[in-house]
Amino acid sequence: MFGYVLINKEELKFKEYDVYKSYYCGLCQTLNNRSGRFAQLTLNYDMTFLQLLLTGLYEPETKLVNFRCKVHPFKRTIKRSNEITDYIADMNLFLAYLNCIDDWKDEKKLSRKIYTLLVKNKVRKIKKQYPEKTAKLEEILKKSSEYEKKKEYDIDKISSYSGELMSELFLYKEDEWKEALSKMGFFLGKYIYIIDAYEDIEKDLKNGNYNPFTKIYQNEGFDDFVKQILTMMISECAREFENLPIIEDIDILRNILYSGVWAKFQAIRNKRKQVEENKDD
């Protein structure tokens, strides 16, 4: 369900892109260092955004390290990491673990079952370090799964669980920014759930899987309807974002919220149109 909160690379300066990439690489290396190579498979852009956001807000001491990545061994690159990166890496793996468990229960995907066994010990340590937070995340995903099994088609209701999940992830500290971060995470989480359902609707219909848009997919103006909902979610998210006293990397964060998320939506929409046109031909 992750991977939708992206940069619009074409509108970023080269220096800004290098900074963004260094945070992405920092998160990737931290996942490996804390939980092993299998944890790196869970890396996604949404959590990179959260890392940039929390780093910009709390301004922790951040280390810049020049290293050689095993994936690109002939080119040296820079990674940025700090105490927030550790938190993001742990939450990233924990959510991936819970999603794999859910996939195994619902669809009996063997690969998901195998993955949970591979990272089980690492997840146990994460739960020990963050007992209250991990318990809340488990409860939220449990409720979401129950409503999906009941085939809940109220998009506002079903997406609210993704909102609650992201809201909890955004709460790095109990402080004066708690309310703004909670609201921002809530609306961004709803956006992620909705655009994920929007992208997967054809595949889900073909495979007989649940999708909250099943009943309205064929309605005239479906794409515009979804865009309108997404616009409301991002608008509320951006409203809270602008209340945060962030200076560092602010242009990268704004690129993601005001451009990157829409570039992703448009790419999905264009792909759907192309498929429809090919069917007509």
Side-chain angles (χ1 to χ4, degrees):
M1 198 178 69
F2 291 98
Y4 294 100
V5 188
L6 309 167
I7 58 168
N8 185 343
K9 187 177 179 180
E10 294 180 357
E11 295 187 7
L12 273 183
K13 298 176 182 177
F14 288 116
K15 183 178 180 180
E16 291 170 341
Y17 177 72
D18 288 340
V19 170
Y20 177 81
K21 185 173 180 294
S22 69
Y23 276 108
Y24 183 83
C25 291
L27 180 54
C28 181
Q29 291 298 305
T30 301
L31 279 165
N32 181 39
N33 294 337
R34 292 177 71 82
S35 302
R37 296 184 65 180
F38 289 112
Q40 287 179 290
L41 298 174
T42 68
L43 181 65
N44 67 76
Y45 296 109
D46 301 354
M47 299 300 266
T48 304
F49 169 78
L50 181 55
Q51 180 183 214
L52 274 163
L53 177 76
L54 295 178
T55 295
L57 179 61
Y58 292 111
E59 300 180 346
E61 180 181 353
T62 300
K63 296 180 180 179
L64 277 70
V65 177
N66 196 304
F67 78 108
R68 197 181 299 277
C69 177
K70 292 182 179 180
V71 179
H72 307 286
F74 301 109
K75 182 180 179 181
R76 298 192 68 83
T77 188
I78 295 175
K79 64 177 181 179
R80 279 178 165 84
S81 59
N82 49 51
E83 62 182 39
I84 291 173
T85 315
D86 294 343
Y87 165 75
I88 298 293
D90 288 346
M91 293 300 103
N92 193 101
L93 180 61
F94 184 68
L95 286 179
Y97 173 80
L98 293 183
N99 280 322
C100 283
I101 289 178
D102 198 47
D103 285 345
W104 167 248
K105 289 180 179 178
D106 293 345
E107 303 175 40
K108 299 303 178 183
K109 292 182 178 180
L110 183 58
S111 60
R112 303 297 195 270
K113 179 63 175 180
I114 293 174
Y115 189 82
T116 61
L117 296 175
L118 291 172
V119 300
K120 188 174 182 179
N121 289 335
K122 303 297 181 182
V123 169
R124 187 180 293 114
K125 292 181 180 179
I126 294 172
K127 293 179 71 171
K128 186 176 181 179
Q129 184 173 357
Y130 305 97
E132 293 184 9
K133 187 171 290 288
T134 53
K136 287 181 181 179
L137 295 174
E138 284 184 299
E139 183 62 26
I140 292 168
L141 283 175
K142 179 182 178 182
K143 290 181 179 178
S144 177
S145 179
E146 289 174 353
Y147 272 93
E148 287 186 347
K149 289 177 181 177
K150 293 178 182 177
K151 298 189 182 299
E152 174 62 63
Y153 293 109
D154 184 333
I155 191 63
D156 181 59
K157 188 173 185 177
I158 190 64
S159 66
S160 67
Y161 293 104
S162 178
E164 290 177 18
L165 185 145
M166 288 299 288
S167 176
E168 185 61 37
L169 289 178
F170 271 51
L171 296 181
Y172 180 62
K173 293 182 178 181
E174 292 283 338
D175 58 14
E176 60 188 304
W177 309 117
K178 176 181 178 179
E179 185 176 351
L181 286 171
S182 178
K183 289 181 179 178
M184 187 179 175
F186 180 76
F187 289 111
L188 188 63
K190 285 173 72 72
Y191 161 86
I192 292 171
Y193 187 92
I194 293 166
I195 195 172
D196 179 61
Y198 174 69
E199 181 176 29
D200 289 347
I201 182 62
E202 289 95 346
K203 181 180 70 175
D204 288 336
L205 288 174
K206 181 180 179 181
N207 296 331
N209 295 331
Y210 163 80
N211 190 295
F213 289 129
T214 297
K215 292 185 176 180
I216 65 171
Y217 167 60
Q218 297 295 342
N219 290 359
E220 184 177 352
F222 170 70
D223 294 302
D224 292 332
F225 171 72
V226 173
K227 185 176 182 180
Q228 183 179 12
I229 300 176
L230 293 176
T231 299
M232 289 189 290
M233 298 303 103
I234 291 299
S235 295
E236 292 296 330
C237 178
R239 189 198 311 276
E240 299 301 330
F241 167 73
E242 295 297 346
N243 288 329
L244 299 173
I246 296 175
I247 298 176
E248 186 178 358
D249 302 322
I250 189 68
D251 290 332
I252 302 176
L253 291 165
R254 283 177 174 150
N255 170 278
I256 295 170
L257 283 179
Y258 298 127
S259 181
V261 294
W262 296 118
K264 180 62 176 179
F265 171 78
Q266 195 59 49
I268 297 171
R269 189 170 188 174
N270 290 342
K271 182 179 179 180
R272 177 173 286 114
K273 286 183 177 180
Q274 186 63 51
V275 171
E276 291 175 354
E277 289 174 0
N278 291 339
K279 287 181 179 179
D280 293 338
D281 293 342

